[in-house]
Amino acid sequence: MSFDRKIKIAPSILSADFANFGAECQAIEEQGADWVHVDVMDGHFVPNITFGPAMCAAIRPHIKGVMDVHLMIAPVDPYIDAFAQAGADVITAHAEAGPHVHRTLQAIRAAGAKAGLALNPGTPAGAVEPLLDMVDLVCVMTVNPGFGGQKFIDMTDKIRALRAMIGDRPVHIEIDGGVDPSTAPLVTRAGADVLVAGSAVFKGGSVGNPQVYGDNIRAIRQAAEGVYA
């Protein structure tokens, strides 16, 4: 997984057909997705329950590119090895999920995955500053985590602060929540390069009609890249 700052679209399979995950992952990649984003929720850290390591292992053979696993769970540390063994390329934990974030990031890297750190809307950019040399990705939540399809919360000031802090480090800024063609330019202009989108990618399409996914992905990408035109 080489590093670059080109815009990446990472559809969240939280909005996919749960009965058809393998085919959905293949469809979004064939239609231009750069990463596949997997939202893991535990019903404790966030008010919803989604997937575990076994599901990640089941879809891994259907994903050619990056499997980006976002752990909205607490505690995190006991499950890191299982998600790494399931094939996660990136494992993102929340800064708010436990008292020993540095140790969590160490454990993710020791398990062979890239280490991500997610910040809820109420958590300031400064929470990441002491950890910047331990992370490969900072995920800025632009909704309160727990459900798909929520309204975008403007976090552009936080994104700009992170971009300045990161400097030349090879660290991605990922945006998760309410990303669509209208919000994508706001976050990429501020410095983001990985855009997670759920309903904005999957709406109107299906495995039987996958070109809609492609149209949706292209619309988000063009809006995001238009910032640099």
Side-chain angles (χ1 to χ4, degrees), residues 74-86:
V76 180
D77 294 10
Y79 303 98
I80 289 168
D81 284 346
F83 281 102
Q85 287 163 15

Side-chain angles (χ1 to χ4, degrees), residues 177-202:
V179 172
D180 61 24
S182 68
T183 56
L186 303 176
V187 297
T188 51
R189 190 177 293 117
D193 60 294
V194 182
L195 306 183
V196 176
S199 49
V201 167
F202 286 95

Side-chain angles (χ1 to χ4, degrees), residues 94-96 117-121 123-125 127-128 138-141 158 162:
H94 270 258
E96 309 84 5
L117 186 64
L119 303 179
N120 283 337
T123 301
V128 179
V138 179
C139 176
V140 177
M141 296 302 299
K158 184 190 289 190
L162 286 166

Side-chain angles (χ1 to χ4, degrees), residues 55-104:
M55 200 282 293
C56 290
I59 64 170
R60 177 71 258 194
H62 301 274
I63 299 171
K64 293 178 181 172
V66 172
M67 185 161 78
D68 176 31
V69 177
H70 178 189
L71 300 183
M72 288 169 269
I73 67 175
V76 180
D77 294 10
Y79 303 98
I80 289 168
D81 284 346
F83 281 102
Q85 287 163 15
D89 296 293
V90 182
I91 297 177
T92 297
H94 270 258
E96 309 84 5
H100 306 295
V101 183
H102 188 282
R103 182 161 65 201
T104 299

